Amino acid sequence: MLNKISTGVALAAVLAAIAAGGCVRNASGERPEVIELESLRPPFPWTAAVRFHPAVLAAAPGATWTVEVDATADLRGYREQYGRFTELILAVQAHRRYDERGFYRSGPVSIALSSNFTTTGLPIERFDGWPTLTALHGKDGSPFEAVKAFPLDGRIATKHKLSAALTVSLPDDTPVGWYEPRIMIFARVEGVPDPVMLENYGDNSNTQDLQLLPLVRVGEPSAPHIPWTVLSEYYYRGQAGTLPDEDKNHVAVTSRSGFVSQLTLKPGSYTAHVALPSVFPLFSLAPIDGGQEVITERNLNYFAFDRGEVHGSIDGPTGRRDLGTRRMAGEGASGPLLEGGGFPVDLSATGDYTIRLAGYLEDRYGRRFEGGGTYRVTAAQPLSFSTSCKPGTSFLVGGAYPAKVNVNPPFPADVRVEVDYYPNSDPARKVTWVGAGKANRFGHFTPHAGPPLKFDEPGEYVSRTEARYVDARGELWLHRQTSGGVVAPRQPEVLRIHGTRSFPYEIRYERDDLGAEARFASRLDMTTPFLPFRPSPLPDPFAPHEKTDTLFIPSGGFNESIVEPHVSMSVNDPALRRRLVDGYRLRSAMPSPLLQPHGKSWEYLEDVVQVSADSAAWFAAKDALELPILPVGDGRWHPFSFPERNRVDAYAYLGVVRPGFPVMTSVLQSEAIGLYWSASPNRFGEQFNTGFNGDLPGDQYRIQAGAVVKDRVTGKKLLRRLRRGDRRGRTGRRRHVDSAAGRTTACDVGRPALLRLSRAGHARHP
């Protein structure tokens, strides 16, 4: 797990204003302009002066692009236990930030926003940790790369000058778009196949502090459209603001506590600011404490926040109002400040509203980034309901969608349940089922107009439930909920999904399999450089392995008992498994400093599969017992950044539910940054029913997951469901009724998944 560190990137010298005619000059009128970048992460901080001409702001497929870099890498913190550094490598890599139509792209990692979607239209999250370059690692890079090696023939523990003109040769098939270059420095270690990024030797196992350059236009794409959200500072029921209709199917906010629905707020007066989730991701997610601490507050950028404007209007139950035009006046906490403050938005009357914003923001080169669109929000009194289908529920073939809804307060509300079912995950075969009607006077609703939707074959689904009630005063009460998941075969022959059994601590370096399941089975007796005592509280427990397992964790142990619901898969098709392993395997990997042996030479793993980047869990590739749920690209370019080139697509639906509200929801590829929560206290996205103290002893959860694997080479689509046992705060054998699937499951609590809380707060074997 990441620990938040307030170091990384600083822009030591900003660019000068644009001179007449669009030429880039510094204060003295000289060319070229210089950008100063620095990475402060110990033990190897570095600085770089990047010289460039206006011409480097544009490139073309099939042509070259060059940038001049003068860097200094400070290796005075070098120790022999790291292994011998034979060379330093200066690198530049860029991923698409906007595509040929100007729509936002996630790149290799999604934080707050995603431009990759499931068949059902839900956004997919991804976190990778350290970057990979095709030029260095042989795969999963970008068409926009260049590297320069500098041999280390003499003393290592000193400052090293690295000066080079990095020239990128863009392939003819480079996708048109706006690319964001990043400067990096790697060290090649004697005997280790792949070089290691210098920041990897720091205290964390990954970093989101990126040394970025201004966007480069490749080809002739449309003007970039930067995602704007509004009302994002008003956290409500798991959501933080909303994107416009125009961004639908192009980019979406990755809400964590409940899948995103149309925004609803309580009646009142609000102020509408322009928020930029691609620049300020932390402020665009409703807070789930624990994982929230590692979300980046601000990404390095080159926007001129005082050069832009926005015009607004609002339509609602009381008519239309023009909000006027406001100039941008500088940088705020989540986006540009507006002259006179944000737009006052009166949502006092309940009902549906449409906010329209249109405007632009310039970067320091005078390039316009269009923003805004049509935003929909509903003002309503808070209604709640309970559904048989909880967010993230997956089904088995032959099952039927349970559309029962219990409204609270018990109003005779108008209820609508709409389900889109995609047999074989095929959009062309979509089946839409709607159940609508009025709840009875006790708030109970069950559709009787027709038969329920039956899932006849494997596939995916998404459901949207809405309950509306207008009281005697004319006040609207409303709640909406979205769910999604897979429909899996009852007898899966190829794909199996389960909680991750790997464990990051106490790696058995002396064993070919690195310890594998042995580390999982003995995790209660593990020790690490930062937890040298026994018995130790269990940090970061993963999800239960089997659907019949129950995970017991302490209610107030180390790190407030952070829970990480990692899931992974096993594949029984030898040919497919071989292709997946070849796509996932790393020639080498370096465990983070926290996992290295104390006072000994550092270890570098070879030929491994990484199940978790965030928690640094590996299996030996030759006999990996588990595989990450990840796509496989074309062998050249990153599969999340360039999904159109993938040979295998893969993702997992995840839903963690506590009685009364969804705790954590996501569709992810293996994992997402900060996808975990601390037991107590916790705001859980400002959902209803959470309480002030978060989790308490005795609280329980149902963890559900479903995986989708699409083989684009053979056309096969594999789907698998797992509904796991609870995470609880007490011990015992229990039976729970799986109401959504209509069956009863016996939960045998076994040693690998059970923890008991002692008076001292230590986890121990039962």
Side-chain angles (χ1 to χ4, degrees):
M1 187 199 69
L2 282 146
N3 292 316
K4 188 175 180 182
I5 298 178
S6 58
T7 61
V9 177
L11 184 61
V14 299
L15 302 177
I18 298 178
C23 294
V24 179
R25 302 175 182 270
N26 59 22
S28 63
E30 299 173 346
R31 302 185 205 180
E33 185 59 63
V34 176
I35 294 178
E36 299 286 344
L37 301 173
E38 61 181 4
S39 172
L40 302 178
R41 188 179 298 275
F44 303 133
W46 59 266
T47 60
V50 182
R51 302 190 306 276
F52 66 99
H53 300 266
V56 304
L57 297 176
T64 59
W65 178 90
T66 300
V67 65
E68 300 175 51
V69 182
D70 289 325
T72 300
D74 187 349
L75 302 190
R76 288 178 295 178
Y78 171 80
R79 293 180 290 171
E80 290 186 1
Q81 68 190 69
Y82 296 145
R84 176 173 174 74
F85 290 2
T86 61
E87 64 182 18
L88 294 178
I89 302 170
L90 186 62
V92 63
Q93 182 188 62
H95 285 274
R96 279 184 302 178
R97 190 54 67 200
Y98 300 90
D99 63 19
E100 69 279 3
R101 294 174 295 172
F103 288 108
Y104 178 83
R105 299 292 305 176
S106 301
V109 172
S110 66
I111 305 180
L113 291 174
S114 178
S115 58
N116 292 4
F117 295 88
T118 66
T119 301
T120 60
L122 295 178
I124 302 172
E125 296 191 75
R126 166 111 178 205
F127 176 68
D128 258 358
W130 301 107
T132 54
L133 281 71
T134 305
L136 295 178
H137 305 91
K139 63 178 182 179
D140 294 349
S142 164
F144 198 121
E145 292 181 358
V147 300
K148 173 67 175 177
F150 297 83
L152 298 178
D153 298 325
R155 184 183 176 192
I156 299 175
T158 187
K159 290 186 176 182
H160 297 267
K161 300 289 186 181
L162 314 175
S163 296
L166 297 175
T167 298
V168 176
S169 295
L170 292 163
D172 293 337
D173 59 347
T174 301
V176 170
W178 298 83
Y179 285 69
E180 187 173 60
R182 177 183 181 183
I183 301 296
M184 295 168 280
I185 301 179
F186 295 80
R188 190 172 294 281
V189 184
E190 189 173 61
V192 178
D194 286 333
V196 181
M197 195 170 173
L198 287 186
E199 285 85 348
N200 202 168
Y201 290 92
D203 294 332
N204 265 338
S205 59
N206 44 60
T207 178
Q208 289 303 313
D209 300 327
L210 310 183
Q211 293 78 20
L212 303 174
L213 296 175
L215 292 180
V216 175
R217 189 188 76 245
V218 175
E220 296 295 334
S222 298
H225 176 82
I226 185 170
W228 288 4
T229 57
V230 296
L231 303 170
S232 61
E233 61 267 52
Y234 302 103
Y235 302 139
Y236 188 65
R237 306 189 81 162
Q239 292 189 220
T242 184
L243 285 165
D245 291 349
E246 290 78 1
D247 284 339
K248 187 177 181 180
N249 300 325
H250 298 293
V251 64
V253 175
T254 55
S255 178
R256 293 284 179 81
S257 184
F259 296 110
V260 171
S261 299
Q262 183 175 314
L263 182 63
T264 302
L265 294 174
K266 291 184 289 186
S269 297
Y270 295 86
T271 302
H273 299 277
V274 171
L276 306 180
S278 62
V279 181
F280 304 94
L282 177 64
F283 301 97
S284 300
L285 292 172
I288 299 178
D289 298 296
Q292 197 79 1
E293 69 187 22
V294 300
I295 304 298
T296 308
E297 292 185 13
R298 179 187 186 275
N299 292 323
L300 180 61
N301 66 87
Y302 293 86
F303 288 116
F305 286 99
D306 58 350
R307 297 198 340 233
E309 66 179 28
V310 56
H311 178 83
S313 66
I314 182 170
D315 291 273
T318 59
R320 184 178 189 277
R321 180 188 171 202
D322 191 290
L323 300 176
T325 300
R326 301 200 178 191
R327 295 287 304 171
M328 295 181 181
E331 181 178 332
S334 60
L337 299 173
L338 301 181
E339 290 181 350
F343 294 113
V345 175
D346 184 6
L347 305 182
S348 299
T350 60
D352 297 317
Y353 291 81
T354 300
I355 299 173
R356 292 181 175 85
L357 298 179
Y360 67 91
L361 172 64
E362 290 186 1
D363 69 3
R364 293 170 181 166
Y365 299 93
R367 299 179 293 187
R368 281 195 174 192
F369 292 71
E370 306 292 337
T374 305
Y375 301 82
R376 303 189 187 279
V377 59
T378 302
Q381 299 294 346
L383 192 68
S384 183
F385 53 65
S386 176
T387 57
S388 295
C389 180
K390 308 300 183 185
T393 296
S394 290
F395 295 88
L396 295 175
V397 169
Y401 185 89
K404 180 181 177 182
V405 179
N406 295 321
V407 180
N408 187 35
F411 292 147
D414 293 313
V415 179
R416 177 183 174 88
V417 181
E418 181 174 327
V419 186
D420 290 333
Y421 168 41
Y422 297 82
N424 200 33
S425 296
D426 185 353
R429 297 181 58 195
K430 183 178 78 169
V431 176
T432 298
W433 179 93
V434 177
K438 188 178 291 291
N440 64 22
R441 62 193 179 95
F442 302 106
H444 301 316
F445 168 77
T446 302
H448 296 292
L453 173 64
K454 188 174 181 179
F455 298 121
D456 296 319
E457 59 182 293
E460 298 172 66
Y461 84 93
V462 63
S463 66
R464 295 176 176 86
T465 302
E466 178 181 280
R468 282 177 176 253
Y469 176 73
V470 179
D471 65 19
R473 300 175 299 169
E475 292 277 291
L476 173 66
W477 299 67
L478 174 73
H479 182 39
R480 298 183 176 103
Q481 177 180 284
T482 300
S483 180
V486 308
V487 180
R490 287 190 173 272
Q491 299 297 328
E493 298 179 355
V494 177
L495 179 66
R496 185 168 177 265
I497 182 176
H498 45 67
T500 298
R501 272 185 298 186
S502 178
F503 204 67
Y505 308 107
E506 206 170 42
I507 298 172
R508 312 289 172 81
Y509 293 107
E510 72 283 359
R511 290 175 49 167
D512 290 341
D513 64 355
L514 307 177
E517 288 189 17
R519 284 187 286 138
F520 180 84
S522 64
R523 66 199 187 284
L524 304 185
D525 298 318
M526 62 83 186
T527 122
T528 72
F530 64 98
L531 288 174
F533 45 86
R534 293 173 185 266
S536 64
L538 177 65
D540 309 352
F542 290 171
H545 179 66
E546 297 287 358
K547 64 183 179 182
T548 54
D549 287 343
T550 298
L551 173 67
F552 290 72
I553 70 167
S555 60
F558 170 80
N559 240 359
E560 294 295 341
S561 299
I562 284 176
V563 184
E564 300 193 45
H566 283 293
V567 292
S568 43
M569 66 179 179
S570 56
V571 177
N572 297 325
D573 182 319
L576 176 59
R577 186 182 184 281
R578 184 167 53 252
R579 290 168 50 216
L580 291 174
V581 171
D582 287 345
Y584 300 157
R585 73 194 323 151
L586 305 173
R587 293 184 301 205
S588 60
M590 190 194 82
S592 69
L594 291 178
L595 306 180
Q596 291 290 347
H598 227 358
K600 301 178 182 178
S601 296
W602 281 31
E603 298 283 354
Y604 296 82
L605 309 178
E606 292 191 17
D607 194 26
V608 293
V609 170
Q610 182 166 303
V611 178
S612 165
D614 196 24
S615 289
W618 295 276
F619 278 106
K622 63 182 179 63
D623 54 1
L625 300 173
E626 303 183 23
L627 296 177
I629 304 172
L630 289 173
V632 175
D634 67 347
R636 292 194 298 164
W637 302 346
H638 196 281
F640 197 74
S641 192
F642 301 93
E644 66 276 10
R645 307 179 70 91
N646 287 353
R647 294 173 180 172
V648 177
D649 282 323
Y651 48 84
Y653 291 82
L654 174 70
V656 182
V657 179
R658 198 178 98 181
F661 68 95
V663 172
M664 182 161 285
T665 54
S666 179
V667 183
L668 63 154
Q669 292 181 354
S670 186
E671 65 183 331
I673 187 170
L675 195 72
Y676 50 84
W677 74 93
S678 57
S680 179
N682 206 307
R683 291 167 286 178
F684 289 120
E686 305 293 349
Q687 285 280 6
F688 287 2
N689 304 316
T690 60
F692 293 107
N693 296 321
D695 298 339
L696 294 175
D699 284 344
Q700 59 187 13
Y701 294 87
R702 186 169 66 180
I703 303 175
Q704 306 173 104
V708 179
V709 176
K710 304 176 185 179
D711 189 338
R712 291 189 178 183
V713 176
T714 65
K716 290 182 179 180
K717 298 175 182 177
L718 310 175
L719 303 105
R720 181 62 173 135
R721 180 194 84 151
L722 175 62
R723 185 186 308 280
R724 292 193 192 83
D726 297 337
R727 165 250 191 241
R728 295 173 59 87
R730 56 188 175 87
T731 61
R733 176 186 172 93
R734 64 185 295 271
R735 297 178 67 84
H736 70 271
V737 177
D738 183 346
S739 59
R743 61 191 180 88
T744 303
T745 305
C747 290
D748 274 312
V749 178
R751 176 178 174 181
L754 178 63
L755 300 177
R756 179 178 293 169
L757 181 64
S758 71
R759 290 185 180 275
H762 296 308
R764 55 189 174 94
H765 291 302

